């Protein structure tokens, strides 16, 4: 009767400094994969960052400036020059009394090998992955790094799972993309597609819910899935944004 929960986040307990008026700051190091300024088409700002912080299960809003943080409870700010992360909590309870989680992994369930087949996933909850967004500015570098990825596999059955609150895509049923990193990895089978995807909740992702690229989306059944409240990053005009993008 247990319900397994797999998270891309981990409890985060740095040494918090009280900055007054509900503000707290702590030392932090930026993730090595979270540098949109270095993309072929550079981007900057919270919309393009992968950083995620949750307080008692609620995602905080990443703001661009300290002044914006001071005026917005339920937000966080990253000062990369000082290597500090700031919080503006919604009430007076200190961080030590809260469950504060920081997303530490890009994906939650993704095989190490591409092209695996005959895998069944059912009844899992997956949360809080922090992959960088994939869009027209960085597609050839990143491709799809969804929270749950079939990784170009075949004959998967994925039913009754909850896949929510990822920075980029929730669930990839396709070929990942044509980035140099993906194309350099071997694939163990030329079979493709034939997936059954039913009754999954794929909500609250920064870019898209369910995605799938190219010829590896052949013969895929999507039935009774919920893909609501995606595009949380607000980047509505990029190629990958949507509830379902195949």
């Amino acid at each position: 009767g247990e319900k397994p929960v797999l998270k891309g986040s981990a409890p985060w307990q740095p040494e918090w400094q009280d900055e007054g008026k509900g503000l707290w700051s702590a030392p932090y190091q930026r993730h090595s994969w979270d540098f949109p300024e270095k993309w072929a088409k550079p981007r900057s700002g919270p919309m393009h960052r992968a950083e995620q912080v949750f307080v008692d299960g609620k995602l905080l809003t990443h703001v661009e400036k300290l002044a914006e943080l001071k005026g917005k409870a339920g937000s966080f700010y990253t000062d990369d020059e000082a290597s500090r992360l700031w919080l503006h909590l919604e009430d007076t309870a200190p961080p030590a009394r809260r469950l504060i989680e920081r997303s530490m992994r890009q994906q939650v369930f993704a095989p190490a090998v591409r092209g695996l087949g005959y895998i069944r996933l059912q009844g899992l909850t997956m949360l809080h992955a922090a992959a960088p967004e994939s869009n027209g500015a960085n597609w050839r570098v990143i491709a799809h790094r969804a929270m749950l990825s079939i990784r170009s596999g075949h004959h998967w059955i994925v039913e009754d799972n909850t896949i929510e609150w990822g920075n980029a895509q929730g669930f990839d049923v396709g070929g990942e993309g044509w980035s140099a990193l993906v194309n350099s990895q071997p694939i163990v089978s030329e079979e493709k597609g034939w997936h059954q995807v039913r009754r999954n909740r794929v909500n609250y992702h920064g870019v898209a819910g369910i995605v799938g690229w190219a010829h590896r989306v052949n013969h895929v059944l999507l039935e009774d899935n919920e893909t609501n409240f995606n595009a949380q990053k607000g980047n509505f005009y990029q190629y990958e944004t949507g509830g379902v993008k195949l």
Side-chain angles (χ1 to χ4, degrees):
E2 296 293 329
K3 294 184 178 181
V5 178
L6 311 177
K7 288 186 175 183
S9 65
W12 194 47
Q13 300 173 324
E15 184 176 342
W16 291 103
Q17 179 174 314
D18 188 350
E19 303 287 354
K21 298 183 178 180
L23 304 181
W24 299 80
S25 74
Y28 103 112
Q29 293 296 320
R30 192 168 178 176
H31 295 309
S32 61
W33 64 84
D34 188 19
F35 282 86
E37 301 89 344
K38 297 181 180 181
W39 294 347
K41 297 179 181 179
R43 298 288 187 270
S44 63
M47 179 181 289
H48 303 289
R49 289 286 304 275
E51 190 70 55
Q52 292 192 128
V53 177
F54 298 83
V55 175
D56 297 330
K58 182 178 180 180
L59 176 66
L60 301 188
T61 301
H62 192 175
V63 298
E64 190 165 5
K65 299 179 180 179
L66 182 58
E68 188 179 354
L69 175 90
K70 292 178 178 179
K72 188 177 180 64
S75 64
F76 75 97
Y77 163 69
T78 49
D79 183 347
D80 292 306
E81 290 187 5
S83 295
R84 295 191 73 82
L85 188 148
W86 291 62
L87 303 181
H88 187 170
L89 299 178
E90 293 184 325
D91 57 42
T92 58
R97 298 183 187 174
R98 322 296 289 266
L99 173 59
I100 297 180
E101 298 169 291
R102 184 182 176 205
S103 292
M104 306 299 289
R105 290 171 282 278
Q106 297 184 57
Q107 296 176 287
V108 170
F109 193 105
V113 177
R114 301 179 70 213
L116 296 180
Y118 301 102
I119 293 174
R120 182 172 195 145
L121 297 178
Q122 188 169 27
L124 301 175
T125 294
M126 306 180 200
L127 304 169
H128 302 177
E133 63 172 336
S134 59
N135 59 44
N138 63 5
W139 179 249
R140 292 183 182 275
V141 177
I142 293 173
H144 290 147
R145 293 180 192 169
M147 183 182 298
L148 166 60
S149 179
I150 283 172
R151 297 222 63 206
S152 304
H154 61 94
H155 293 91
W156 285 46
I157 298 175
V158 182
E159 297 177 327
D160 304 304
N161 300 285
T162 296
I163 306 157
E164 294 183 335
W165 296 110
N167 180 71
Q169 290 84 16
F171 180 17
D172 174 26
V173 298
E176 300 173 89
W178 65 82
S179 76
L181 178 62
V182 169
N183 290 336
S184 67
Q185 297 174 2
I187 188 165
V188 298
S189 174
E190 290 304 317
E191 284 203 73
K192 51 199 175 187
W194 299 100
H195 308 302
Q196 300 176 42
V197 179
R198 298 186 180 94
R199 301 180 303 278
N200 299 285
R201 301 177 69 233
V202 192
N203 302 320
Y204 304 108
H205 295 282
V207 179
I210 298 174
V211 295
W213 177 77
H215 58 284
R216 290 197 170 269
V217 197
N218 293 351
H219 308 291
V220 174
L221 172 65
L222 302 180
E223 183 177 49
D224 294 332
N225 298 286
E226 183 180 302
T227 57
N228 292 330
F229 310 107
N230 292 294
Q232 289 280 314
K233 305 288 285 187
N235 204 350
F236 300 116
Y237 301 103
Q238 291 291 351
Y239 301 122
E240 301 305 308
T241 299
V244 178
K245 170 69 172 9
L246 302 176

